[in-house]
Amino acid sequence: MGNDKRPNRSFVCQKSLQKPFSVLYGWMHHFVFGKSQSNSSDGNCKSRKSIEILFSSIKSKALFAKKNDFCRDVNDGQVRMPNNSVPAPRQSQFMDLPVHIREFIYDLIHAEDVLVIRLTSHELKRDVESHRGLSFKLHDAILDDFESILRTTGIEKLIIEKFVDERKVYDYFPYPHLLQVLEINGRVSEANFELLLNRFPNLTKLVVSFQHSDQQFRVSDWKSNVLYSLKTLEIYSNTFGTTESSLVGDSIKAILCDMHSPNLIHLIVNVVGFIPARIQEYHLWVQIRLSKNSHSLKNVEIHLKQLMHPFILDDVENIQIINEWTNNLQLETFHLDINSHMQLWYPIMDTQSNLRILKLAVRNQSWSRLILVLDKSAETLQEVMITGLSFPLSNDGTRTTPLDVGLLENLKLLKTLEIQHQHVESRNISVPAVIRTSLLPKTLKSLKLCNLLLKPHQTLFFLLKLPLLNELALECWTGDEETLAAFLTVLTFLVKFDLTTVQLIKIMESRIKLENLQNDIERMSHTLYNKTKLLQDKSELYSTLILQRVS
């Protein structure tokens, strides 16, 4: 009876005990099983099945007893567990997994989920931080508030807004091997910058953005800083003043010409400058970087713009020397956006034979010259985007030579093609016509033509004879409104009876305003109401008619 009168202090602590492991297991089930199923393919079925077997075994060990099967009695400070109860699962069941398995699991965690896992237990926090770090935005103003984090927590991505305070800096970043991404968007002292380059041995991505006139990075001996793990280098600058361009230019030169990163794969340089002579130097510095990494570089993106009149380069001897240094360069992706000094880049482009993606935003470049570049990589090119093309005028100065797309016939793997003629504000100069469209590669999936003259039958060829074409964008100078109206009628017929594979069609107005064809557009919309979504985008300078097929 004594026992019956005694208050029943037994309780079920199932939820409190299972919370840490259930959080982890719930994440594992969602991220591993879900990710495996969404990314499943014939090539990884065996690995996915192995993962499922692995975690099903973990699940069987981690299953908690039901309320009636497992409870603890707390009596006089003593904990008694029934003999027939199931022992409480331990956090160490997950920690007993091999290290490489745990690291594989941690690699699947998104950055924001690292925070959740860290809160599970001290043991798991230490383990996950030994392999994965946090993203942290650093500014001198918050150093005192977040000093404990900088002293104890692993950081995987560091974004620096301002870092000139050199106090206790050597006590920060206790897990330097974790940091892989370093972005510098503000002022950094010389000592701190040199520390950052030397402290992180596994740095794979370095991004430097110059936004201030006194933002400089001077390192006493660049050659002693070897970034073996660096794979990506990005440099951005939009300083305009004469003094700013000079100071920032010296820092950019040091990064491009002096920093040693023998395994660099991706390079992005985006500079808008004010001094023409300085922009000329940027072209040379970038090519010096290309020569230093000619055996490793695969993807290069260059944006160099000057705001004043283009400066004519006359140092031909130095150009030839640099071009010889880059003979071993074999890129897969090349994106060039410049408004001067194109003669510097043709020798490099002419030697590329393995390009998959070529994007050129150049001014006053001829189609016939660029064809020589395209032919070199005819066996590998999959995406070509060329804007700013110009075409020779006829003897009377009014007619232009046509765009011969038949010259692309040899590009057997071409999937995306975008060609834009340089817009000329003159009614006396005709827009170049497109010829030999029937020779375009049948592998095309996306086609965009701007400021070019197409005839209706050529457009119908795109819709009917390119079997893989999914997206068609036309900004063409048509002869009159009746021609465009007739094309819309034929297009309605093709879509209604599923005679074309194209899923997205964009028609951008030029001389003919789409407002003048509202009746034709409304009739088209009514006929295809259950087949397509017909939209008219008026957000830009020129209205665009967008036809989206409904699957």
Side-chain angles (χ1 to χ4, degrees):
M1 294 297 294
N3 290 338
D4 295 335
K5 292 180 180 179
R6 185 170 53 194
N8 184 7
R9 299 172 61 187
S10 64
F11 64 94
V12 177
C13 56
Q14 181 178 358
K15 292 184 180 179
S16 61
L17 288 175
Q18 74 176 6
K19 184 176 180 180
F21 196 89
S22 62
V23 169
L24 178 63
Y25 175 76
W27 173 85
M28 287 192 300
H29 188 277
H30 175 72
F31 282 87
V32 177
F33 290 168
K35 197 176 187 75
S36 297
Q37 291 170 3
S38 62
N39 295 337
S40 62
S41 63
D42 295 338
N44 64 0
C45 284
K46 293 183 179 179
S47 59
R48 178 169 62 88
K49 191 171 183 180
S50 300
I51 295 173
E52 293 177 354
I53 293 174
L54 169 65
F55 286 107
S56 63
S57 64
I58 297 175
K59 179 180 179 182
S60 63
K61 295 179 181 179
L63 286 177
F64 287 85
K66 297 181 179 179
K67 181 176 181 179
N68 295 332
D69 297 331
F70 172 67
C71 67
R72 287 183 177 178
D73 293 337
V74 180
N75 186 10
D76 298 331
Q78 300 295 323
V79 179
R80 296 200 308 269
M81 183 175 292
N83 293 331
N84 59 352
S85 64
V86 179
R90 299 176 297 106
Q91 178 74 27
S92 59
Q93 288 180 338
F94 172 75
M95 298 301 297
D96 289 340
L97 290 172
V99 174
H100 69 280
I101 296 296
R102 299 202 306 272
E103 291 181 350
F104 171 78
I105 294 173
Y106 296 148
D107 284 334
L108 300 177
I109 306 178
H110 294 294
E112 59 270 17
D113 296 312
V114 175
L115 292 172
V116 178
I117 300 300
R118 291 173 69 252
L119 298 176
T120 306
S121 73
H122 292 292
E123 185 180 13
L124 191 55
K125 176 180 180 293
R126 288 192 298 269
D127 192 56
V128 71
E129 285 185 352
S130 68
H131 184 71
R132 284 291 304 272
L134 302 178
S135 294
F136 191 85
K137 183 174 289 187
L138 179 62
H139 193 285
D140 282 348
I142 66 171
L143 281 179
D144 294 335
D145 296 333
F146 292 91
E147 184 174 350
S148 60
I149 294 180
L150 292 172
R151 287 174 175 270
T152 62
T153 305
I155 297 177
E156 185 174 357
K157 179 179 180 180
L158 181 60
I159 303 173
I160 297 179
E161 301 294 338
K162 183 180 180 181
F163 192 29
V164 297
D165 190 342
E166 300 176 4
R167 301 173 301 165
K168 308 176 184 177
V169 67
Y170 286 93
D171 296 332
Y172 298 154
F173 317 117
Y175 302 99
H177 65 281
L178 291 182
L179 194 118
Q180 297 183 14
V181 179
L182 176 60
E183 294 186 11
I184 301 177
N185 300 324
R187 298 180 180 91
V188 178
S189 68
E190 178 179 345
N192 286 348
F193 188 64
E194 191 162 6
L195 168 71
L196 293 173
L197 292 182
N198 287 293
R199 189 167 179 79
F200 306 118
N202 297 327
L203 185 66
T204 61
K205 182 177 181 180
L206 175 61
V207 180
V208 183
S209 179
F210 294 89
Q211 302 174 359
H212 307 282
S213 59
D214 59 344
Q215 186 177 347
Q216 301 180 72
F217 305 118
R218 296 178 178 176
V219 178
S220 57
D221 186 8
W222 275 94
K223 296 181 180 180
S224 65
N225 297 277
V226 183
L227 304 178
Y228 288 105
S229 300
L230 192 67
K231 299 294 189 295
T232 301
L233 174 61
E234 299 181 11
I235 301 175
Y236 302 90
S237 172
N238 58 354
T239 56
F240 301 118
T242 302
T243 303
E244 296 176 9
S245 297
S246 178
L247 294 175
V248 171
D250 293 339
S251 297
I252 294 178
K253 177 183 179 181
I255 296 175
L256 288 174
C257 301
D258 297 333
M259 188 176 69
H260 190 38
S261 51
N263 299 311
L264 193 67
I265 297 176
H266 312 282
L267 174 66
I268 298 178
V269 179
N270 191 330
V271 176
V272 178
F274 182 78
I275 306 175
R278 202 62 170 177
I279 286 292
Q280 168 186 317
E281 293 177 332
Y282 283 125
H283 286 270
L284 296 175
W285 297 338
V286 171
Q287 293 200 7
I288 290 175
R289 169 52 56 184
L290 297 184
S291 67
K292 287 180 174 291
N293 296 111
S294 60
H295 293 282
S296 62
L297 270 173
K298 295 300 179 185
N299 306 299
V300 174
E301 184 174 337
I302 307 298
H303 304 264
L304 295 176
K305 296 294 184 68
Q306 60 187 61
L307 302 182
M308 296 181 65
H309 191 273
F311 185 85
I312 304 301
L313 185 69
D314 54 5
D315 195 352
V316 180
E317 182 178 354
N318 286 339
I319 297 175
Q320 293 175 347
I321 294 175
I322 294 178
N323 290 337
E324 292 178 0
W325 293 346
T326 58
N327 283 339
N328 295 323
L329 186 68
Q330 285 297 314
L331 301 175
E332 295 179 1
T333 301
F334 186 53
H335 186 178
L336 185 62
D337 180 9
I338 59 177
N339 60 359
S340 63
H341 301 88
M342 188 60 191
Q343 71 274 21
L344 270 177
W345 294 96
Y346 273 125
I348 293 178
M349 293 166 57
D350 287 340
T351 61
Q352 302 307 307
S353 58
N354 295 311
L355 286 173
R356 292 187 301 105
I357 299 175
L358 177 63
K359 298 181 180 181
L360 299 178
V362 295
R363 190 173 63 176
N364 296 325
Q365 301 305 311
S366 69
W367 178 244
S368 58
R369 180 64 182 86
L370 292 177
I371 284 296
L372 299 177
V373 177
L374 299 177
D375 284 342
K376 286 285 185 178
S377 298
E379 299 295 329
T380 57
L381 269 173
Q382 299 181 25
E383 183 176 344
V384 175
M385 301 176 65
I386 301 176
T387 60
L389 279 177
S390 63
F391 296 85
L393 296 176
S394 60
N395 294 332
D396 57 9
T398 58
R399 291 179 289 105
T400 56
T401 57
L403 171 64
D404 186 1
V405 295
L407 298 175
L408 302 176
E409 182 181 10
N410 294 328
L411 277 60
K412 301 299 183 182
L413 299 179
L414 189 62
K415 297 178 180 179
T416 301
L417 176 62
E418 178 179 339
I419 301 177
Q420 180 180 4
H421 172 238
Q422 184 172 311
H423 183 67
V424 179
E425 292 291 343
S426 175
R427 294 184 178 273
N428 297 324
I429 299 179
S430 63
V431 175
V434 181
I435 62 173
R436 298 211 298 169
T437 53
S438 60
L439 297 180
L440 280 173
K442 299 299 187 292
T443 54
L444 275 175
K445 294 184 177 180
S446 177
L447 176 61
K448 181 178 180 180
L449 301 175
C450 300
N451 292 337
L452 297 164
L453 180 60
L454 277 176
K455 297 180 180 179
H457 74 273
Q458 293 174 312
T459 307
L460 293 179
F461 169 82
F462 300 150
L463 296 172
L464 294 173
K465 298 299 184 181
L466 297 178
L468 302 179
L469 192 63
N470 184 69
E471 181 178 353
L472 177 62
L474 302 175
E475 184 180 352
C476 304
W477 301 66
T478 53
D480 50 44
E481 294 179 5
E482 294 182 357
T483 304
L484 183 55
F487 169 72
L488 294 179
T489 301
V490 176
L491 179 60
T492 303
F493 175 82
L494 295 177
V495 174
K496 181 176 178 60
F497 294 99
D498 295 323
L499 299 178
T500 178
T501 61
V502 180
Q503 299 295 312
L504 179 64
I505 300 175
K506 295 181 181 180
I507 301 176
M508 295 160 281
E509 66 179 27
S510 48
R511 287 183 175 178
I512 298 177
K513 299 296 182 183
L514 292 176
E515 296 176 356
N516 301 335
L517 300 172
Q518 286 302 315
N519 292 335
D520 300 276
I521 294 175
E522 291 177 2
R523 188 183 308 112
M524 185 179 187
S525 178
H526 177 73
T527 304
L528 302 176
Y529 74 96
N530 62 340
K531 288 275 190 180
T532 66
K533 293 180 180 179
L534 198 63
L535 305 173
Q536 194 165 350
D537 184 6
K538 299 181 180 180
S539 60
E540 302 295 339
L541 179 62
Y542 299 104
S543 180
T544 302
L545 182 65
I546 303 174
L547 185 146
Q548 175 70 61
R549 298 279 290 272
V550 178
S551 56

